[in-house]
Amino acid sequence: MTGNSRSPSTPAVELGLQLKTERERSRPGLPRGYSKAEIPRNIISGRTLLDIEQGRKRTVRRGLVRDICAFYQTDAVLIENLVTLADATYMDDWTDAYSGAVDRDGWLYQQREDRAARLKFHDSNFIPSLIQPESYIEMIRRTTRVNFDQPAIDWHHASRFRIDRQERWLRSQRPMTCLIGEMAFAVDLGEAASKDLRNRMLQSAALPFTDIRVVPFHAGRYDLMGWELNLLEFTNGDEPLIQIKSARGSGFLPVRSHRATFFMQAFSDAWDMSIPVEEFLS
């Protein structure tokens, strides 16, 4: 299927949402930002801007995005993220061909997660970050060793990012399902951190909008073993967003692809063989 008959891609939808947010951002003397009529027509018409903001325009030129952002006086980092999204609107399969560039520093994924109606996570080796206690985050910092040449990790920023993300999710009370492999609980954290982890798991499981389950060792091998899977579901008509990570590769998956179908079914199968975390910890 080609042309405008296809549904809008995630980059086009996200680009539109971000440009609308940037247009409506409060400025000195403009508490509600700009109206569409105030954007100079030599940059873009009101109708075209509306189509972009509503995700109806499948492709958007990077030069147009730069011109719009120059008028808005947009932050330089955000401009580069938006330009990358504009480039992605031209990709037939942005998830395979462009996902690494689009999701530089996790920006696209985080924007989508903050608006998802339901969150589903699986990890067979680590506790998903939305329910990590601070002592677990500290364990990651303390035990991480980087043996190749790369800029030093800003651990204060990384820790604050995790905590802020947790706080946003808790305030939103969006439903979340977590499937965790028993291996994630086998890491020797030390007595104090292990106690923190146990308390956090039980506190999180008691929330009315969470479902935390463990895939025990006795369940045997299962299709998702070794994979980290983030599955975001939306209620506004947007397609689910699937992000996978493992030693074998990582990135986004086209939701209608064979691989996406495999991972969604694998999540369901893993849920069937899991037990509530309260039962596991007892």
Side-chain angles (χ1 to χ4, degrees):
M1 200 181 312
T2 59
N4 292 330
S5 59
R6 295 183 298 175
S7 60
S9 64
T10 291
V13 171
E14 186 62 41
L15 178 61
L17 288 169
Q18 290 292 327
L19 285 174
K20 181 179 181 183
T21 299
E22 182 63 7
R23 175 172 63 81
E24 295 177 344
R25 171 174 56 86
S26 178
R27 298 164 172 81
L30 294 169
R32 297 183 180 180
Y34 293 107
S35 69
K36 288 186 290 293
E38 291 176 297
I39 313 304
R41 289 185 60 85
N42 67 323
I43 296 178
I44 191 171
S45 71
R47 179 54 188 267
T48 300
L49 181 59
L50 179 63
D51 286 343
I52 292 174
E53 289 184 350
Q54 295 188 351
R56 292 196 297 260
K57 192 167 178 58
R58 285 204 55 83
T59 59
V60 183
R61 291 181 295 103
R62 57 164 34 213
L64 178 59
V65 170
R66 288 195 183 279
D67 288 345
I68 294 170
C69 289
F71 180 78
Y72 293 161
Q73 295 185 313
T74 302
D75 174 77
V77 174
L78 179 56
I79 289 176
E80 294 311 309
N81 284 326
L82 298 183
V83 166
T84 307
L85 282 176
D87 288 342
T89 66
Y90 283 88
M91 306 299 294
D92 289 333
D93 184 5
W94 68 272
T95 50
D96 278 341
Y98 219 67
S99 63
V102 170
D103 203 38
R104 188 186 300 121
D105 300 325
W107 180 81
L108 173 60
Y109 171 79
Q110 194 57 59
Q111 298 299 315
R112 303 302 290 173
E113 184 183 273
D114 284 345
R115 286 195 295 274
R118 185 175 187 89
L119 314 173
K120 294 181 178 180
F121 303 118
H122 168 272
D123 201 317
S124 54
N125 297 307
F126 292 96
I127 304 301
S129 56
L130 275 186
I131 52 175
Q132 292 173 356
E134 289 190 50
S135 55
Y136 192 90
I137 300 172
E138 169 59 22
M139 179 275 297
I140 296 174
R141 183 202 67 76
R142 190 177 65 252
T143 59
T144 296
R145 299 290 182 271
V146 178
N147 297 317
F148 52 90
D149 186 24
Q150 73 167 31
I153 298 173
D154 184 343
W155 284 107
H156 175 75
H157 172 78
S159 177
R160 189 67 251 173
F161 176 85
R162 278 180 163 86
I163 294 169
D164 288 347
R165 181 176 168 229
Q166 292 175 3
E167 291 174 349
R168 290 198 306 275
W169 165 64
L170 288 170
R171 287 195 301 270
S172 74
Q173 298 190 10
R174 286 169 295 156
M176 177 185 69
T177 299
C178 274
L179 295 181
I180 311 170
E182 184 173 347
M183 178 63 72
F185 293 90
V187 178
D188 183 6
L189 303 176
E191 183 177 352
S194 294
K195 183 178 179 180
D196 283 350
L197 179 61
R198 177 186 176 86
N199 290 339
R200 172 59 66 88
M201 292 299 101
L202 294 175
Q203 291 168 1
S204 298
L207 296 171
F209 47 91
T210 64
D211 185 10
I212 302 175
R213 303 177 68 88
V214 178
V215 184
F217 286 139
H218 64 70
R221 290 191 59 81
Y222 60 103
D223 286 338
L224 276 185
M225 183 176 286
W227 290 95
E228 177 186 338
L229 171 68
N230 298 347
L231 173 58
L232 310 181
E233 297 177 348
F234 303 87
T235 57
N236 61 355
D238 288 358
E239 291 183 339
L241 188 71
I242 302 171
Q243 184 183 49
I244 58 169
K245 297 180 182 178
S246 85
R248 290 168 281 178
S250 64
F252 296 114
L253 293 180
V255 71
R256 293 187 177 89
S257 67
H258 176 73
R259 292 188 75 209
T261 300
F262 166 81
F263 280 108
M264 286 190 285
Q265 183 59 51
F267 186 95
S268 178
D269 292 343
W271 192 94
D272 288 341
M273 63 178 64
S274 67
I275 60 175
V277 71
E278 303 97 320
E279 180 182 333
F280 172 76
L281 293 176
S282 67

